[in-house]
Amino acid sequence: MAEGDNISTFSVDGGQDTVGLPRIVMVTEGSDTSASSPSSTSSSEDNWADLIKSSEIPPEYWHIQKLVKYMKAGNQTATMVALSCLKDHDLTIEVNQRAIQEIGGLELLVNLLETRDLCCILGGLAVLRDITPNIEIRKKVTDLGAIPLLVGLLSDPARDVQILAAETIANLGRIRKSRKFCRKFGGIPKLIDLLDIKERCLITQREELNQDELQFLDISRAGAKALWSMSSSQRNREAMRKYGMIPLIARILKTIHLDVAVPAVGLLQLCANETSFQLAIQTEKMVDDLITHLANEDKDLKTYCSLAIYKCASDAITRDMIREAGGLELLVEAAQDSTNRANKPLMAAVTGALWKCANSDASVKKLDNLGAVPILVRLLDDENDGVLTNVAGALAECAKYPPNRDKIRIAKGIPMLIHHLNNTHKPLLENVPLVLMECAREHNCMIEIDELDGVRLIWSLLKNDSKKVQTNAALALSPCVQNAADSGEMVRSFVGALELTVDLLDSDDHNVLSAVCAAIATIARDHENLAVISDHGVVAKLSKLVSTTDDHLRGNLGVAIAYCCDWAQNRQEFGKRGAITPLVNYMTSRDPNVHRATALALYHLSFYSINCVTMHAAGVVQFLLETIGSKDPILQEASAGCLCNIRKLALATEKIKLKQ
């Protein structure tokens, strides 16, 4: 039969998408499904367990089994007739699928793929395509060796065969084993070849395309769908990049056809988990096409575009491209649309994209002009943890712009944020303290946080087993304690809070240690609180940390040591525990924040004469002579004060020698 011959019984309808879309899995920064990961398909999907338990078996069940028997026993003509009759049944119904499976029809359908008769191949593929959305059938068909046969059919000259084979692979690719086999048997480059289509077909209405062009369009749609399914594997994504998919997918993105755009963007957003694809989206100018599709009314397409933006917007250049292409307006509009509230994957994707896009001053100002903050605050009453996490992340970025802090308060956002501190979803608990940290810098917001017992709830997060939650909670404590009306009394009113904070200095996570040191530096400014944490052994714990080479930790550690010196014998104890010489070595760092913190610590330590001797012996004078000329007033003053104390000790020693 010639390539262009039309098989009416089994031909593929180009305008109809019969394969369901893969389930959306919304992830926080870093999640991926590797080649060794379990299938994302729900365990409840296509569950046979309770099928036909209490109901009578319908007559279609027996009719389908008779047709499968005819296919087994009959000749070629009988097989074709049976396939035609089989297609007349609704094969998406579980009982009909079970009828085929239980009579041994799956083995027969897979065997048909090896025949040389085009009609039998088309018939078998058409049935397999319709029944493989079922997870049990997917596993069975894969075990029967269907993947190598389907990969071989991708090169068949009959375009209908290519389309049906690719769509069947798209269904089978939802399980890990099929994805692995497809890569192993060379399916990835063949599927990529299906994407090679003239741009005219992509940007011309279907009514203006001839039959051949329509078939090529359907081939590219099926290829994109199969690759989308395959891209759940990290190894497959790498293979797609290696075999040159990027320029082809960049061309496909320009399509005006929704049924082609959805799998193409779905494929792209999954591939955007990889840094190489994120860079390609930027360099191949795909951002403009994503923004164009984002304006489409189709919810699925809008979701996948938002997910792609969410994954790519961590790069500053890409964020600028999104903003300049009008992406922020469309994202805010989607977040504001009340008809989208029920669509949680869409809302999670949109708010996630807003969160990542807000990580730049220009974007925050743009969002401010669009009135995004009140819109985001209204989403804080959502019941979906993914949406709440992303909304809190976006508000944390927006709150870095001082005018937005008061907008959060006016929009009644602070009570809702504090309410979510009682949540158990860890990604949400990572983001909410960051919003409150920024809001606490504004006087009226801090009053409201204090009245609603927000500081106590933030403090309680230090007991969370997540290092990231501990870190962000500790970071939030500093401005809360610093700006509270009666911070010293407030902190002491929290039973066990100071002991808990000091105990966290035993953590093995540098980010936690750095944040806790910053909190201790603020707490220690109150004399009574300093006395309490000193009794809990803060000096010994801080002294153990001075050997660190992490500049971020060094900066906050230096400030904590400085403010902990002002109680009883603390500065002497720091000297006895060998903290001085490592601190002097901090001055070799290239980080100016470390220099400032170190000079401050050395200044406070230098009020004890033996510490001055240790500093001088460690060569601190040379460093202080350099930093005393700094343009940073804190560094300059601390350096001068430390030198002054060392000099006073030297003069006093000289006078004693002269008297003797």
Side-chain angles (χ1 to χ4, degrees), residues 413-443:
I414 290 178
M416 288 191 278
L417 287 165
I418 291 175
H419 169 73
H420 289 311
L421 290 173
N422 294 307
N423 202 302
T424 56
H425 187 59
K426 289 178 183 177
L428 176 59
L429 293 178
E430 291 172 12
N431 287 348
V432 172
L434 296 180
V435 191
L436 294 172
M437 176 183 73
E438 299 297 339
C439 289
R441 305 182 197 281
E442 204 275 327
H443 178 69

Side-chain angles (χ1 to χ4, degrees), residues 167-415:
E167 290 184 332
T168 307
I169 289 174
N171 289 338
L172 296 176
R174 297 187 209 175
I175 60 175
R176 181 182 60 191
K177 192 173 185 179
S178 294
R179 295 195 291 269
K180 178 181 178 181
F181 282 179
C182 187
R183 181 180 69 252
K184 181 179 178 181
F185 290 103
I188 301 296
K190 290 187 177 183
L191 289 170
I192 291 173
D193 286 342
L194 301 184
L195 301 182
D196 195 359
I197 182 176
K198 293 179 181 177
E199 191 171 334
R200 167 185 145 72
C201 300
L202 297 168
I203 61 175
T204 306
Q205 295 292 341
R206 282 186 178 271
E207 296 78 17
E208 301 174 27
L209 297 175
N210 60 39
Q211 190 62 35
D212 280 348
E213 290 171 331
L214 285 172
Q215 279 197 319
F216 282 123
L217 191 63
D218 288 336
I219 287 172
S220 65
R221 171 180 57 83
K225 196 176 296 183
L227 286 166
W228 181 12
S229 184
M230 290 294 132
S231 63
S232 294
S233 161
Q234 190 273 334
R235 291 182 180 178
N236 283 356
R237 293 195 292 268
E238 178 58 29
M240 291 173 195
R241 185 196 62 79
K242 175 183 173 183
Y243 287 115
M245 188 186 77
I246 289 174
L248 294 177
I249 201 67
R251 186 196 305 166
I252 292 273
L253 277 184
K254 301 186 183 300
T255 185
I256 62 171
H257 304 291
L258 180 63
D259 60 338
V260 179
V262 169
V265 179
L267 164 62
L268 186 65
Q269 65 84 17
L270 268 182
C271 289
N273 290 326
E274 308 299 322
T275 306
S276 57
F277 276 93
Q278 293 171 9
L279 181 62
I281 288 172
Q282 179 191 119
T283 55
E284 293 284 342
K285 312 295 183 186
M286 293 189 228
V287 172
D288 289 343
D289 296 317
L290 284 173
I291 302 304
T292 299
H293 291 306
L294 184 62
N296 196 290
E297 292 302 314
D298 184 80
K299 304 295 186 188
D300 287 332
L301 184 55
K302 200 181 288 285
T303 300
Y304 301 134
C305 288
S306 301
L307 280 172
I309 292 170
Y310 166 79
K311 293 173 182 178
C312 297
S314 54
D315 182 84
I317 296 174
T318 305
R319 284 198 299 272
D320 291 340
M321 295 171 73
I322 293 166
R323 185 181 66 253
E324 291 164 5
L328 295 180
E329 289 88 342
L330 292 170
L331 289 170
V332 171
E333 182 184 331
Q336 189 176 16
D337 189 348
S338 59
T339 63
N340 292 335
R341 287 297 296 268
N343 190 330
K344 300 309 176 186
L346 172 57
M347 291 304 297
V350 167
T351 52
L354 283 170
W355 173 17
K356 297 305 178 183
C357 287
N359 192 20
S360 65
D361 293 341
S363 294
V364 169
K365 290 177 181 177
K366 181 71 172 178
L367 289 171
D368 193 40
N369 293 333
L370 294 169
V373 170
I375 294 169
L376 289 168
V377 169
R378 285 196 291 273
L379 293 175
L380 284 172
D381 64 355
D382 201 278
E383 63 276 10
N384 182 273
D385 286 338
V387 175
L388 289 172
T389 299
N390 294 338
V391 169
L395 285 173
E397 296 296 340
C398 290
K400 292 178 181 178
Y401 186 51
N404 284 335
R405 297 166 191 166
D406 211 41
K407 289 181 181 178
I408 293 173
R409 180 183 63 82
I410 293 169
K412 309 295 183 186
I414 290 178

